[in-house]
Amino acid sequence: QVQLVESGGGLVQAGGSLRLSCAASGSIFRRSTMGWYRQAPGKQRDLVAAITTGGSTNYADSVKGRFTISRDNAKNTVDLQMNSLKPEDTAVYYCNAKGISLTLDKYDFWGQGTQVIVSS
């Protein structure tokens, strides 16, 4: 299995930037699709961005052009660069690892989350 630990959250003014980082431990990182999700109190957890083992990316429409996801397979890390932040970006951001093991068992692991607050 893999353990995920997020960092980099905090308070920022609208229009500012933050860079979130997720450190992964475990042998499955290189074969996992990595993603960032966010959830505000009382609201649904939504996909923000994802990146495959081959580097293909996918973004929610609300963050396209503002956020960039990247991964370093040698360091077992995945980052989310967030620019031009808006108050509606305020949420707890979670790192996710998803895929199929060598024994063809599906897995889905989550970090504990990091808070992002964007003030107007």
Side-chain angles (χ1 to χ4, degrees):
Q1 64 180 30
V2 62
Q3 181 178 345
L4 307 174
V5 180
E6 304 97 331
S7 63
L11 298 169
V12 65
Q13 295 186 65
S17 298
L18 283 174
R19 188 176 184 89
L20 306 183
S21 183
C22 174
S25 62
S27 61
I28 65 171
F29 179 84
R30 290 184 298 173
R31 60 180 189 269
S32 299
T33 292
M34 303 299 299
W36 286 96
Y37 293 72
R38 66 187 182 188
Q39 186 171 26
K43 296 185 178 180
Q44 179 179 304
R45 183 184 63 196
D46 295 323
L47 173 68
V48 177
I51 184 167
T52 69
T53 57
S56 297
T57 58
N58 186 44
Y59 297 92
D61 289 341
S62 60
V63 306
K64 286 181 179 178
R66 300 189 298 121
F67 291 10
T68 302
I69 189 171
S70 61
R71 68 189 294 164
D72 188 332
N73 290 333
K75 297 181 179 179
N76 285 4
T77 57
V78 57
D79 291 353
L80 184 68
Q81 178 66 46
M82 305 186 294
N83 298 326
S84 302
L85 283 162
K86 305 174 181 179
E88 51 261 44
D89 295 320
T90 296
V92 176
Y93 284 70
Y94 296 92
C95 182
N96 172 260
K98 185 179 302 180
I100 301 175
S101 72
L102 294 178
T103 56
L104 302 183
D105 296 316
K106 295 181 179 179
Y107 58 85
D108 193 352
F109 297 107
W110 296 90
Q112 65 182 20
T114 185
Q115 177 74 63
V116 172
I117 300 176
V118 184
S119 62
S120 59

mmCIF file of all heavy atoms in Angstrom, residues 12-15 85-88 90 117-120:
data_model
loop_
_atom_site.group_PDB
_atom_site.id
_atom_site.type_symbol
_atom_site.label_atom_id
_atom_site.label_comp_id
_atom_site.label_asym_id
_atom_site.label_seq_id
_atom_site.Cartn_x
_atom_site.Cartn_y
_atom_site.Cartn_z
ATOM 1 N N VAL A 12 -4.286 32.679 1.853
ATOM 2 C CA VAL A 12 -3.784 33.490 0.755
ATOM 3 C C VAL A 12 -4.891 34.428 0.285
ATOM 4 O O VAL A 12 -6.074 34.099 0.380
ATOM 5 C CB VAL A 12 -3.288 32.601 -0.409
ATOM 6 C CG1 VAL A 12 -4.440 31.828 -1.031
ATOM 7 C CG2 VAL A 12 -2.551 33.422 -1.453
ATOM 8 N N GLN A 13 -4.504 35.604 -0.198
ATOM 9 C CA GLN A 13 -5.475 36.544 -0.740
ATOM 10 C C GLN A 13 -5.867 36.158 -2.160
ATOM 11 O O GLN A 13 -5.109 35.497 -2.874
ATOM 12 C CB GLN A 13 -4.906 37.965 -0.742
ATOM 13 C CG GLN A 13 -4.640 38.550 0.625
ATOM 14 C CD GLN A 13 -4.214 39.991 0.554
ATOM 15 O OE1 GLN A 13 -4.990 40.860 0.145
ATOM 16 N NE2 GLN A 13 -2.979 40.245 0.941
ATOM 17 N N ALA A 14 -7.058 36.558 -2.554
ATOM 18 C CA ALA A 14 -7.510 36.323 -3.917
ATOM 19 C C ALA A 14 -6.498 36.871 -4.912
ATOM 20 O O ALA A 14 -5.971 37.971 -4.731
ATOM 21 C CB ALA A 14 -8.874 36.962 -4.149
ATOM 22 N N GLY A 15 -6.222 36.083 -5.942
ATOM 23 C CA GLY A 15 -5.223 36.450 -6.929
ATOM 24 C C GLY A 15 -3.837 35.920 -6.631
ATOM 25 O O GLY A 15 -2.960 35.971 -7.501
ATOM 26 N N LEU A 85 -5.740 32.442 -7.502
ATOM 27 C CA LEU A 85 -6.707 31.811 -6.610
ATOM 28 C C LEU A 85 -7.926 32.698 -6.380
ATOM 29 O O LEU A 85 -7.818 33.924 -6.322
ATOM 30 C CB LEU A 85 -6.049 31.466 -5.282
ATOM 31 C CG LEU A 85 -5.151 30.227 -5.326
ATOM 32 C CD1 LEU A 85 -4.209 30.196 -4.133
ATOM 33 C CD2 LEU A 85 -6.014 28.963 -5.367
ATOM 34 N N LYS A 86 -9.072 32.037 -6.246
ATOM 35 C CA LYS A 86 -10.347 32.697 -6.029
ATOM 36 C C LYS A 86 -10.941 32.232 -4.704
ATOM 37 O O LYS A 86 -10.633 31.134 -4.243
ATOM 38 C CB LYS A 86 -11.320 32.373 -7.164
ATOM 39 C CG LYS A 86 -10.809 32.699 -8.552
ATOM 40 C CD LYS A 86 -11.785 32.212 -9.617
ATOM 41 C CE LYS A 86 -11.281 32.518 -11.007
ATOM 42 N NZ LYS A 86 -12.229 32.023 -12.050
ATOM 43 N N PRO A 87 -11.820 33.028 -4.088
ATOM 44 C CA PRO A 87 -12.454 32.589 -2.837
ATOM 45 C C PRO A 87 -13.158 31.236 -2.971
ATOM 46 O O PRO A 87 -13.170 30.465 -2.009
ATOM 47 C CB PRO A 87 -13.454 33.708 -2.541
ATOM 48 C CG PRO A 87 -12.820 34.923 -3.132
ATOM 49 C CD PRO A 87 -12.160 34.436 -4.402
ATOM 50 N N GLU A 88 -13.712 30.925 -4.130
ATOM 51 C CA GLU A 88 -14.389 29.658 -4.326
ATOM 52 C C GLU A 88 -13.442 28.465 -4.371
ATOM 53 O O GLU A 88 -13.883 27.318 -4.400
ATOM 54 C CB GLU A 88 -15.260 29.678 -5.594
ATOM 55 C CG GLU A 88 -14.527 30.150 -6.837
ATOM 56 C CD GLU A 88 -14.788 31.610 -7.155
ATOM 57 O OE1 GLU A 88 -14.767 32.435 -6.222
ATOM 58 O OE2 GLU A 88 -15.028 31.930 -8.343
ATOM 59 N N THR A 90 -11.515 27.896 -1.879
ATOM 60 C CA THR A 90 -11.373 27.544 -0.468
ATOM 61 C C THR A 90 -11.942 26.152 -0.208
ATOM 62 O O THR A 90 -13.101 25.872 -0.523
ATOM 63 C CB THR A 90 -12.086 28.571 0.416
ATOM 64 O OG1 THR A 90 -11.446 29.843 0.278
ATOM 65 C CG2 THR A 90 -12.041 28.151 1.880
ATOM 66 N N ILE A 117 -7.387 28.378 2.281
ATOM 67 C CA ILE A 117 -8.375 29.434 2.484
ATOM 68 C C ILE A 117 -7.963 30.639 1.647
ATOM 69 O O ILE A 117 -6.858 31.167 1.809
ATOM 70 C CB ILE A 117 -8.495 29.834 3.963
ATOM 71 C CG1 ILE A 117 -8.928 28.633 4.806
ATOM 72 C CG2 ILE A 117 -9.476 30.990 4.123
ATOM 73 C CD1 ILE A 117 -8.984 28.918 6.289
ATOM 74 N N VAL A 118 -8.850 31.072 0.772
ATOM 75 C CA VAL A 118 -8.601 32.220 -0.097
ATOM 76 C C VAL A 118 -9.533 33.341 0.324
ATOM 77 O O VAL A 118 -10.753 33.204 0.252
ATOM 78 C CB VAL A 118 -8.816 31.873 -1.576
ATOM 79 C CG1 VAL A 118 -8.454 33.066 -2.449
ATOM 80 C CG2 VAL A 118 -7.994 30.653 -1.965
ATOM 81 N N SER A 119 -8.972 34.445 0.763
ATOM 82 C CA SER A 119 -9.756 35.578 1.231
ATOM 83 C C SER A 119 -9.936 36.597 0.120
ATOM 84 O O SER A 119 -9.085 36.745 -0.763
ATOM 85 C CB SER A 119 -9.089 36.235 2.438
ATOM 86 O OG SER A 119 -7.810 36.750 2.092
ATOM 87 N N SER A 120 -11.049 37.319 0.173
ATOM 88 C CA SER A 120 -11.340 38.344 -0.819
ATOM 89 C C SER A 120 -10.739 39.678 -0.412
ATOM 90 O O SER A 120 -10.287 39.866 0.720
ATOM 91 C CB SER A 120 -12.845 38.488 -1.019
ATOM 92 O OG SER A 120 -13.481 38.839 0.194
#
